[in-house]
Amino acid sequence: MAVNLHIPAPETILPVAGVEIGITEAGIRKQGRKDLTVFQLAPGSSVAGVFTQNRFRAAPVQVCEQHLAENSDIRALVINTGNANAGTGPSGLKATHETCEAVAKLLHISPNQILPFSTGVILEPLPVDRLIKALPAAVQNLTADNWFNAAHSIMTTDTQPKIVSKKIELGGQPVTLTGISKGAGMIRPNMATMLGYLATDAGIPPGLLADMTREIANRSFNRITVDGDTSTNDSFIIMATGQSGLHIDSTHHPLYSELYRALADAALDLAQKIVRDAEGATKFITIRVEQAASQEEALKVAYAVAHSPLVKTAFYASDPNLGRILAAVGYAGVNDLDVGKVNLWLGDVLVASQGGRNPDYAEEAGQRVMKEAEILVRIALGRGNTTETVYTSDFSHEYVSINADYRS
């Protein structure tokens, strides 16, 4: 049950010059669904990525990091769903390298010019023979207007595709940005099972793009959580083809800030769509911590609230049991917190101040806000000037059912 998740009409999703996408059915886990996607990039494109910090990083994540370190001329991506190829040891790495070799042969490029991605069940061998057998069909299907289909093909437990697409004008030059993401559970990106791919036809050199990608991930995919679990496969990729004719070569370029903001806004949109489609979600919750002494402190408090099962189940029930939020703030790890300076708002309702319940707070007002599909929680710590925001969802019965039955 997605919360206010907007799916663009297919005709409004703009192709990005220099990007072609092919999709096919490989039968990796389920028959009758598209589960294999290939991106082909024009020569001269730049690619950068940010990946999970989970120590059990999946084989494709390890190979992606290796290929990005070895080669600045990435020309293709290959993505399979249904199997994460994680916890698979040397055989998983072998399967990933075989996949890259097969794609390279079809596209007449080198294996280290390919970034591989997998998502799905962990600790199961990747059926690489089925994947490689299906690759020619995906390559034959390469076309510039396949973004909508690609958003569907990378889904696992998602209920809806996640897409953003827009055209902006920079210095009189039209520039296109289009992206897709997937993820609904096992979401606490810590870089974010999630995947995100964002492309633009602006030109950005590899080093600058790498810096931008890290910063953008920290303001978008690293500010969402569904259940506090960092997956083995989380990956976020930005591609810049340079086909528009506009080239941003440094942070000092007069149009750099505008392009950065456009990419960052698109990434945040994709990240928030993951939370809106979180497994079993009925509420989209924004947790904003204000007046913190540091970014680290603000995020500690925000994530303590966002990860609390007691808080999340209260939101699901629309129960204004808001002492649970204060308890989470209290155990967040800010050891010298003066609770007498903490204020808590639920939407426009001041719930707690000066270490206790606001004398003017009425439970009916809290109940009104808790029944809304989108809820803002504001926590002012009274310690400094730092503000950080995290996005999360509630916990429902359906979340348990989905994850109890995931491998069935």
Side-chain angles (χ1 to χ4, degrees), residues 128-186:
V128 67
D129 291 344
R130 272 179 267 167
L131 191 159
I132 290 174
K133 184 178 179 181
L135 279 171
V139 170
Q140 188 175 12
N141 185 237
L142 284 166
T143 180
D145 59 356
N146 241 343
W147 285 96
F148 188 77
N149 295 325
H152 285 81
S153 70
I154 65 173
M155 290 166 54
T156 49
T157 59
D158 310 61
T159 68
Q160 296 186 20
K162 298 155 185 71
I163 314 166
V164 63
S165 188
K166 57 186 175 181
K167 183 166 286 191
I168 61 174
E169 193 167 290
L170 297 177
Q173 178 76 45
V175 171
T176 301
L177 299 88
T178 298
I180 57 176
S181 63
K182 64 81 52 179
M186 204 172 185

Side-chain angles (χ1 to χ4, degrees), residues 26 34 69 78 138 162 186 245 288-289 291 298 312 325 330 352 355 375 378 400:
K34 306 295 187 199
V78 56
K162 298 155 185 71
M186 204 172 185
R288 183 179 302 150
V289 177
Q291 299 176 14
K312 293 164 80 71
I325 296 178
I375 299 169
R378 287 177 54 216
V400 177

Side-chain angles (χ1 to χ4, degrees), residues 149-332:
N149 295 325
H152 285 81
S153 70
I154 65 173
M155 290 166 54
T156 49
T157 59
D158 310 61
T159 68
Q160 296 186 20
K162 298 155 185 71
I163 314 166
V164 63
S165 188
K166 57 186 175 181
K167 183 166 286 191
I168 61 174
E169 193 167 290
L170 297 177
Q173 178 76 45
V175 171
T176 301
L177 299 88
T178 298
I180 57 176
S181 63
K182 64 81 52 179
M186 204 172 185
I187 299 294
R188 194 252 169 120
N190 196 11
M191 20 149 254
T193 8
M194 67 132 276
L195 301 174
Y197 305 97
L198 179 59
T200 178
D201 54 9
I204 308 169
L208 179 60
L209 185 62
D211 292 341
M212 294 173 72
T213 302
R214 282 191 295 270
E215 292 176 15
I216 288 170
N218 279 334
R219 307 309 306 180
S220 56
F221 290 98
N222 275 347
R223 293 294 182 269
I224 63 173
T225 181
V226 170
D227 44 27
D229 275 308
T230 296
S231 171
T232 54
N233 294 63
D234 296 328
S235 305
F236 170 52
I237 301 295
I238 299 183
M239 300 161 272
T241 68
Q243 298 292 301
S244 70
L246 175 68
H247 292 271
I248 307 292
D249 56 3
S250 77
T251 57
H252 302 295
H253 191 287
L255 300 176
Y256 170 83
S257 295
E258 289 182 66
L259 179 60
Y260 177 90
R261 278 197 303 272
L263 288 168
D265 288 348
L268 182 59
D269 187 302
L270 290 172
Q272 289 182 348
K273 281 180 165 68
I274 289 174
V275 176
R276 293 184 183 282
D277 194 29
E279 290 169 345
T282 68
K283 308 281 175 68
F284 177 85
I285 303 159
T286 300
I287 300 173
R288 183 179 302 150
V289 177
E290 305 169 354
Q291 299 176 14
S294 66
Q295 180 185 71
E296 178 185 9
E297 180 176 284
L299 290 174
K300 273 185 178 180
V301 172
Y303 277 121
V305 176
H307 290 157
S308 167
L310 290 177
V311 171
K312 293 164 80 71
T313 50
F315 277 112
Y316 171 62
S318 299
D319 175 19
N321 188 353
L322 302 175
R324 292 178 174 182
I325 296 178
L326 286 184
V329 173
Y331 66 61

Side-chain angles (χ1 to χ4, degrees), residues 347-378:
D348 59 351
V349 179
L350 179 61
V351 174
S353 62
Q354 298 180 343
R357 179 177 173 135
N358 172 28
D360 297 327
Y361 171 69
E363 181 143 331
E364 294 78 10
Q367 184 84 61
R368 169 180 58 80
V369 178
M370 291 290 275
K371 288 182 177 179
E372 296 174 0
E374 302 207 19
I375 299 169
L376 170 64
V377 176
R378 287 177 54 216

